[in-house]
Amino acid sequence: AQTVTQSQPEMSVQEAETVTLSCTYDTSESDYYLFWYKQPPSRQMILVIRQEAYKQQNATENRFSVNFQKAAKSFSLKISDSQLGDAAMYFCAYRSLHLMRFGAGTRLTVKP
Amino acid sequence: GAVVSQHPSWVICKSGTSVKIECRSLDFQATTMFWYRQFPKQSLMLMATSNEGSKATYEQGVEKDKFLINHASLTLSTLTVTSAHPEDSSFYICSAQGGRGNGYTFGSGTRLTVV
């Protein structure tokens, strides 16, 4: 069964610094997508970044980038120049044709 | 961008009554919608996958007769919690799949409190 593991329940970063959130997954499928979602206190799920498994190039979105290691089934999120507004729960997610699974989440705190 | 509207944002109901939650894709057609439940400080738990024009597929352990899902059009899916009990109190979130390769777009969620 496909599982998504986030081993860091909580992380903290100083404002303007860089932080990396870890995610690993388990699958036997070859065609899938990976996502990082942000859930602020409003509880609205916001897509941060996505990665297609068939693409070797790591996805980037402004201050957010991923390190996708397909062989290792690893998908970490790097947040550069952290801002106070980045404080939230971050969920790693796996999606295949008919399935979507979320990790347990990492609570990110940004210190001013 | 893709927008999913979910209503109501919160609802309080008495035990034994039924509550309907709506999820609408406003600017795209959603052939597939998903319903999640989220307990405080926990991750999203997939309850069921709703496909337009066909029966929903429920995850193991989710009572299909209690959580009725209808996806009658390409823009609307509804979740009805029947004969609600206090243990059904939770945060319910829908999401919609708008096209190949798209990340799912989420509704803003519904906080259900059963008293």
Side-chain angles (χ1 to χ4, degrees):
Chain A
Q2 290 81 359
T3 58
V4 179
T5 302
Q6 291 179 250
S7 59
Q8 306 154 317
E10 296 183 352
M11 289 287 284
S12 179
V13 63
Q14 202 72 32
E15 192 176 6
E17 297 294 312
T18 296
V19 64
T20 298
L21 307 184
S22 301
C23 174
T24 58
Y25 59 95
D26 184 25
T27 185
S28 58
E29 297 179 313
S30 58
D31 187 17
Y32 55 89
Y33 302 84
L34 297 164
F35 306 91
W36 278 98
Y37 283 91
K38 169 184 177 181
Q39 188 179 42
S42 68
R43 303 192 80 171
Q44 172 73 59
M45 295 287 284
I46 302 168
L47 177 64
V48 175
I49 198 167
R50 66 170 175 258
Q51 173 82 43
E52 292 87 344
Y54 63 85
K55 290 187 177 179
Q56 292 186 337
Q57 186 174 6
N58 289 325
T60 63
E61 285 288 343
N62 301 314
R63 297 183 296 106
F64 300 89
S65 61
V66 298
N67 183 3
F68 175 44
Q69 301 291 327
K70 190 172 184 179
K73 296 186 174 65
S74 172
F75 183 62
S76 60
L77 174 69
K78 185 172 79 171
I79 306 175
S80 304
D81 186 25
S82 297
Q83 301 176 358
L84 295 178
D86 294 334
M89 282 290 291
Y90 285 81
F91 293 100
C92 176
Y94 164 99
R95 176 203 150 190
S96 61
L97 184 60
H98 297 297
L99 179 73
M100 188 152 189
R101 290 288 183 262
F102 287 84
T106 297
R107 181 172 299 282
L108 178 65
T109 302
V110 181
K111 297 179 179 178
Chain B
V3 177
V4 172
S5 175
Q6 184 174 343
H7 292 281
S9 56
W10 61 271
V11 58
I12 301 173
C13 71
K14 292 183 177 180
S15 290
T17 62
S18 296
V19 174
K20 180 184 286 187
I21 302 170
E22 291 189 348
C23 181
R24 293 181 183 272
S25 57
L26 297 186
D27 49 4
F28 67 99
Q29 293 183 332
T31 54
T32 303
M33 291 186 174
F34 299 81
W35 288 95
Y36 297 87
R37 184 172 180 175
Q38 186 179 30
F39 292 102
K41 298 184 179 181
Q42 293 190 24
S43 187
L44 281 70
M45 181 190 75
L46 180 65
M47 298 175 65
T49 302
S50 169
N51 296 301
E52 185 268 336
S54 63
K55 292 182 178 180
T57 302
Y58 290 81
E59 295 295 299
Q60 191 172 9
V62 178
E63 299 176 61
K64 61 181 180 181
D65 294 332
K66 180 169 189 61
F67 298 100
L68 300 179
I69 291 173
N70 183 280
H71 194 158
S73 77
L74 286 171
T75 60
L76 174 65
S77 177
T78 60
L79 168 67
T80 301
V81 182
T82 63
S83 187
H85 289 99
E87 56 265 32
D88 298 326
S89 299
S90 190
F91 192 69
Y92 294 87
I93 310 176
C94 70
S95 70
Q97 178 182 354
R100 177 172 173 76
N102 290 340
Y104 292 112
T105 303
F106 285 81
S108 55
T110 298
R111 181 178 300 282
L112 170 64
T113 302
V114 184
V115 297

Coordinates of all heavy atoms in Angstrom, one line a residue, chain A residues 6-57:
Chain A
Q6 N 6.1 11.6 7.1 CA 6.8 12.8 7.5 C 7.3 12.6 8.9 O 6.6 12.5 9.8 CB 5.8 14.0 7.4 CG 5.4 14.3 6.0 CD 4.4 15.5 6.0 OE1 3.2 15.3 5.7 NE2 4.9 16.7 6.3
S7 N 8.6 12.5 9.0 CA 9.3 12.1 10.3 C 9.5 13.3 11.3 O 9.9 13.0 12.4 CB 10.6 11.5 10.0 OG 11.4 12.4 9.3
Q8 N 9.1 14.5 10.8 CA 9.3 15.6 11.7 C 8.0 16.2 12.1 O 7.4 17.0 11.3 CB 10.1 16.7 10.9 CG 11.4 16.2 10.3 CD 11.9 17.1 9.1 OE1 11.0 17.4 8.3 NE2 13.1 17.4 9.1
P9 N 7.5 15.9 13.3 CA 6.2 16.5 13.7 C 6.2 18.0 13.8 O 5.3 18.7 13.5 CB 6.0 15.8 15.0 CG 6.9 14.7 15.1 CD 8.0 15.0 14.2
E10 N 7.4 18.5 14.2 CA 7.5 20.0 14.4 C 8.9 20.4 13.9 O 9.9 19.7 14.1 CB 7.3 20.4 15.8 CG 6.0 20.1 16.4 CD 5.8 20.6 17.8 OE1 6.8 21.0 18.4 OE2 4.7 20.5 18.3
M11 N 8.9 21.6 13.3 CA 10.2 22.2 12.9 C 10.1 23.7 13.2 O 9.0 24.3 13.2 CB 10.5 22.0 11.4 CG 10.8 20.6 11.0 SD 12.5 20.1 11.5 CE 13.4 21.0 10.3
S12 N 11.3 24.3 13.4 CA 11.3 25.7 13.7 C 12.4 26.3 12.9 O 13.5 25.7 12.6 CB 11.6 25.9 15.2 OG 11.7 27.3 15.5
V13 N 12.2 27.5 12.4 CA 13.2 28.2 11.6 C 13.2 29.7 12.0 O 12.2 30.3 12.4 CB 12.9 28.0 10.1 CG1 11.6 28.7 9.7 CG2 14.1 28.6 9.3
Q14 N 14.4 30.3 11.9 CA 14.5 31.8 12.2 C 14.0 32.5 10.9 O 14.3 32.0 9.8 CB 15.9 32.1 12.5 CG 16.1 33.4 13.3 CD 15.6 33.3 14.7 OE1 15.7 32.3 15.3 NE2 15.1 34.4 15.2
E15 N 13.4 33.6 11.1 CA 13.0 34.4 9.9 C 14.2 34.7 9.0 O 15.3 35.0 9.5 CB 12.3 35.7 10.4 CG 11.6 36.5 9.3 CD 10.9 37.7 9.9 OE1 11.1 38.0 11.1 OE2 10.2 38.4 9.2
A16 N 14.0 34.6 7.7 CA 15.0 34.8 6.7 C 15.9 33.6 6.5 O 16.8 33.7 5.6 CB 15.8 36.1 7.0
E17 N 15.9 32.6 7.4 CA 16.7 31.5 7.2 C 16.0 30.4 6.3 O 14.9 30.6 5.9 CB 17.0 30.9 8.6 CG 17.8 31.8 9.5 CD 19.2 32.1 8.9 OE1 19.9 31.1 8.5 OE2 19.6 33.3 8.8
T18 N 16.7 29.3 6.1 CA 16.3 28.2 5.3 C 15.9 27.0 6.1 O 16.6 26.7 7.1 CB 17.3 27.9 4.2 OG1 17.5 29.0 3.3 CG2 16.9 26.7 3.4
V19 N 14.9 26.3 5.7 CA 14.5 25.1 6.5 C 14.1 24.0 5.4 O 13.6 24.4 4.4 CB 13.3 25.4 7.4 CG1 12.0 25.8 6.6 CG2 13.0 24.2 8.3
T20 N 14.3 22.8 5.8 CA 14.0 21.7 4.9 C 13.1 20.7 5.7 O 13.4 20.3 6.8 CB 15.2 20.9 4.4 OG1 16.1 21.8 3.7 CG2 14.8 19.7 3.6
L21 N 11.9 20.4 5.0 CA 11.0 19.5 5.6 C 11.1 18.1 4.9 O 11.1 18.1 3.6 CB 9.6 20.0 5.5 CG 9.3 21.4 6.0 CD1 7.8 21.8 5.9 CD2 9.8 21.6 7.4
S22 N 11.1 17.1 5.6 CA 11.4 15.7 5.0 C 10.1 15.0 4.7 O 9.1 15.2 5.4 CB 12.2 14.9 5.9 OG 13.4 15.5 6.2
C23 N 10.1 14.2 3.7 CA 9.0 13.3 3.3 C 9.5 12.1 2.6 O 10.4 12.3 1.6 CB 8.0 14.1 2.4 SG 6.7 13.1 1.8
T24 N 9.1 11.0 2.9 CA 9.4 9.8 2.2 C 8.1 9.1 1.9 O 7.1 9.2 2.6 CB 10.3 8.8 3.0 OG1 9.7 8.4 4.2 CG2 11.7 9.4 3.2
Y25 N 8.1 8.2 0.9 CA 6.9 7.6 0.5 C 7.2 6.2 0.0 O 8.4 5.8 -0.3 CB 6.1 8.4 -0.6 CG 7.0 8.6 -1.9 CD1 6.8 7.7 -3.0 CD2 7.9 9.6 -2.0 CE1 7.6 7.9 -4.1 CE2 8.7 9.8 -3.1 CZ 8.5 8.9 -4.2 OH 9.3 9.1 -5.3
D26 N 6.2 5.4 -0.1 CA 6.4 4.0 -0.5 C 5.4 3.7 -1.6 O 4.2 3.9 -1.4 CB 6.2 3.0 0.7 CG 6.5 1.6 0.3 OD1 7.3 1.4 -0.7 OD2 5.9 0.7 0.9
T27 N 5.8 3.2 -2.7 CA 4.9 2.9 -3.8 C 5.6 1.9 -4.8 O 6.9 1.9 -4.9 CB 4.5 4.1 -4.6 OG1 3.5 3.8 -5.6 CG2 5.7 4.8 -5.3
S28 N 4.8 1.2 -5.5 CA 5.3 0.3 -6.5 C 4.9 0.8 -7.9 O 5.3 0.2 -8.9 CB 4.8 -1.1 -6.4 OG 3.4 -1.2 -6.4
E29 N 4.2 1.9 -7.9 CA 3.8 2.5 -9.2 C 4.9 3.4 -9.8 O 5.8 3.8 -9.1 CB 2.5 3.3 -9.0 CG 1.3 2.5 -8.4 CD 0.1 3.3 -8.2 OE1 0.2 4.4 -7.6 OE2 -1.0 2.9 -8.7
S30 N 4.8 3.5 -11.1 CA 5.8 4.3 -11.8 C 5.3 5.7 -12.2 O 6.0 6.6 -12.4 CB 6.3 3.6 -13.0 OG 5.2 3.3 -13.9
D31 N 4.0 5.8 -12.3 CA 3.3 7.1 -12.7 C 2.6 7.7 -11.5 O 1.6 7.2 -11.1 CB 2.4 6.9 -13.8 CG 1.9 8.2 -14.4 OD1 2.5 9.2 -14.1 OD2 0.8 8.1 -15.1
Y32 N 3.1 8.8 -11.0 CA 2.5 9.4 -9.8 C 3.0 10.8 -9.7 O 3.8 11.3 -10.4 CB 2.8 8.6 -8.5 CG 4.3 8.4 -8.2 CD1 5.0 9.4 -7.5 CD2 4.9 7.3 -8.7 CE1 6.3 9.2 -7.2 CE2 6.3 7.1 -8.4 CZ 7.0 8.0 -7.7 OH 8.3 7.8 -7.4
Y33 N 2.3 11.5 -8.8 CA 2.7 12.9 -8.5 C 2.9 13.1 -7.0 O 2.3 12.4 -6.2 CB 1.5 13.9 -9.0 CG 1.2 13.7 -10.4 CD1 0.3 12.7 -10.9 CD2 1.7 14.6 -11.4 CE1 0.0 12.6 -12.2 CE2 1.4 14.4 -12.7 CZ 0.6 13.4 -13.1 OH 0.3 13.3 -14.5
L34 N 3.7 14.1 -6.7 CA 3.9 14.4 -5.3 C 3.6 15.9 -5.1 O 3.9 16.7 -5.9 CB 5.4 14.1 -4.9 CG 5.8 12.6 -5.1 CD1 7.3 12.5 -5.1 CD2 5.2 11.8 -3.9
F35 N 3.1 16.2 -3.9 CA 2.7 17.5 -3.6 C 3.2 17.9 -2.2 O 3.3 17.1 -1.3 CB 1.2 17.7 -3.7 CG 0.6 17.3 -4.9 CD1 0.1 16.0 -5.1 CD2 0.5 18.1 -6.0 CE1 -0.5 15.5 -6.3 CE2 -0.1 17.7 -7.2 CZ -0.6 16.4 -7.3
W36 N 3.3 19.2 -2.0 CA 3.4 19.8 -0.6 C 2.3 20.8 -0.5 O 2.1 21.7 -1.4 CB 4.7 20.5 -0.4 CG 5.8 19.6 0.0 CD1 6.8 19.0 -0.8 CD2 6.1 19.1 1.3 NE1 7.6 18.2 -0.1 CE2 7.2 18.2 1.2 CE3 5.5 19.2 2.5 CZ2 7.8 17.6 2.3 CZ3 6.0 18.6 3.6 CH2 7.2 17.8 3.5
Y37 N 1.5 20.6 0.6 CA 0.4 21.5 0.8 C 0.7 22.2 2.2 O 1.3 21.6 3.1 CB -0.9 20.7 1.0 CG -1.6 20.3 -0.3 CD1 -1.3 19.1 -0.9 CD2 -2.4 21.2 -1.0 CE1 -1.9 18.7 -2.1 CE2 -3.0 20.8 -2.2 CZ -2.7 19.6 -2.8 OH -3.3 19.3 -4.0
K38 N 0.2 23.4 2.2 CA 0.3 24.2 3.4 C -1.1 24.4 4.0 O -2.0 24.7 3.3 CB 0.9 25.6 3.1 CG 0.9 26.6 4.1 CD 1.4 27.9 3.6 CE 1.4 29.1 4.6 NZ 1.9 30.3 4.0
Q39 N -1.2 24.2 5.3 CA -2.5 24.4 6.0 C -2.3 25.4 7.1 O -1.8 25.1 8.2 CB -3.1 23.1 6.5 CG -4.5 23.3 7.0 CD -5.2 22.1 7.5 OE1 -4.5 21.3 8.2 NE2 -6.4 21.8 7.2
P40 N -2.6 26.7 6.9 CA -2.5 27.7 8.0 C -3.6 27.5 9.0 O -4.4 26.7 8.8 CB -2.6 29.0 7.2 CG -3.4 28.7 6.0 CD -3.0 27.3 5.7
P41 N -3.6 28.4 10.0 CA -4.7 28.2 11.0 C -6.1 28.3 10.5 O -7.0 27.8 11.1 CB -4.4 29.4 12.0 CG -2.9 29.6 11.9 CD -2.6 29.3 10.4
S42 N -6.3 29.0 9.3 CA -7.6 29.0 8.7 C -8.1 27.6 8.3 O -9.3 27.4 8.0 CB -7.6 29.9 7.5 OG -6.8 29.4 6.5
R43 N -7.1 26.7 8.2 CA -7.4 25.3 7.8 C -7.6 25.1 6.3 O -8.0 24.1 5.8 CB -8.5 24.6 8.6 CG -8.2 24.7 10.1 CD -9.1 23.8 10.9 NE -8.8 22.4 10.9 CZ -9.3 21.5 11.6 NH1 -10.2 21.8 12.5 NH2 -8.9 20.2 11.5
Q44 N -7.5 26.2 5.5 CA -7.6 26.1 4.1 C -6.3 25.4 3.5 O -5.2 25.9 3.8 CB -7.7 27.5 3.4 CG -7.6 27.5 1.9 CD -8.9 26.9 1.3 OE1 -10.0 27.4 1.5 NE2 -8.7 25.9 0.5
M45 N -6.5 24.4 2.8 CA -5.3 23.7 2.2 C -4.9 24.4 1.0 O -5.6 24.7 0.1 CB -5.7 22.2 1.8 CG -6.1 21.4 3.0 SD -4.6 20.9 3.9 CE -3.9 19.6 2.9
I46 N -3.6 24.8 0.9 CA -3.0 25.6 -0.1 C -1.9 24.8 -0.8 O -1.0 24.3 -0.1 CB -2.5 26.9 0.4 CG1 -3.6 27.7 1.1 CG2 -1.9 27.7 -0.7 CD1 -3.1 28.8 1.9
L47 N -2.0 24.6 -2.1 CA -0.9 23.9 -2.8 C 0.3 24.8 -2.8 O 0.3 25.9 -3.2 CB -1.3 23.6 -4.2 CG -0.3 22.9 -5.1 CD1 0.0 21.6 -4.6 CD2 -0.8 22.9 -6.6
V48 N 1.4 24.2 -2.4 CA 2.7 24.9 -2.4 C 3.5 24.6 -3.6 O 4.0 25.5 -4.3 CB 3.5 24.5 -1.1 CG1 4.9 25.2 -1.2 CG2 2.8 25.0 0.2
I49 N 3.6 23.3 -3.9 CA 4.5 22.9 -5.0 C 4.1 21.4 -5.4 O 3.6 20.7 -4.6 CB 6.0 23.0 -4.6 CG1 6.9 23.0 -5.9 CG2 6.4 21.9 -3.6 CD1 8.3 23.5 -5.6
R50 N 4.3 21.1 -6.6 CA 4.0 19.7 -7.1 C 5.2 19.2 -8.0 O 5.9 20.0 -8.6 CB 2.7 19.7 -7.8 CG 2.6 20.4 -9.1 CD 1.4 20.1 -9.9 NE 1.2 20.9 -11.1 CZ 0.4 21.9 -11.2 NH1 -0.3 22.3 -10.2 NH2 0.3 22.6 -12.3
Q51 N 5.3 17.9 -8.0 CA 6.4 17.3 -8.8 C 5.8 16.1 -9.5 O 5.2 15.2 -8.9 CB 7.5 16.9 -7.9 CG 8.6 16.1 -8.5 CD 9.6 16.9 -9.2 OE1 10.1 17.9 -8.7 NE2 10.0 16.5 -10.4
E52 N 6.0 16.0 -10.8 CA 5.6 14.8 -11.5 C 6.8 13.8 -11.4 O 7.9 14.2 -11.6 CB 5.4 15.2 -13.0 CG 4.2 16.0 -13.3 CD 4.4 17.5 -13.2 OE1 5.5 17.9 -12.6 OE2 3.6 18.3 -13.6
A53 N 6.4 12.6 -11.2 CA 7.5 11.6 -11.0 C 8.3 11.3 -12.2 O 9.5 11.0 -12.1 CB 6.8 10.3 -10.5
Y54 N 7.8 11.6 -13.4 CA 8.5 11.3 -14.6 C 9.5 12.4 -14.9 O 10.4 12.3 -15.8 CB 7.6 11.1 -15.8 CG 6.7 12.3 -16.2 CD1 7.2 13.3 -17.0 CD2 5.4 12.4 -15.7 CE1 6.5 14.4 -17.3 CE2 4.7 13.5 -16.0 CZ 5.2 14.5 -16.9 OH 4.4 15.5 -17.2
K55 N 9.4 13.5 -14.2 CA 10.4 14.6 -14.4 C 11.6 14.5 -13.5 O 11.4 14.3 -12.3 CB 9.7 15.9 -14.2 CG 8.7 16.3 -15.3 CD 8.2 17.7 -15.1 CE 7.2 18.1 -16.2 NZ 6.7 19.5 -16.0
Q56 N 12.7 14.6 -14.0 CA 13.9 14.5 -13.2 C 14.3 15.8 -12.5 O 14.9 15.8 -11.5 CB 15.1 14.0 -14.0 CG 15.0 12.5 -14.5 CD 16.2 12.1 -15.2 OE1 17.0 12.9 -15.7 NE2 16.4 10.8 -15.2
Q57 N 13.9 16.9 -13.2 CA 14.2 18.2 -12.7 C 13.4 18.5 -11.5 O 12.1 18.3 -11.5 CB 14.0 19.3 -13.8 CG 14.4 20.6 -13.4 CD 14.3 21.6 -14.5 OE1 13.8 21.3 -15.6 NE2 14.8 22.8 -14.3

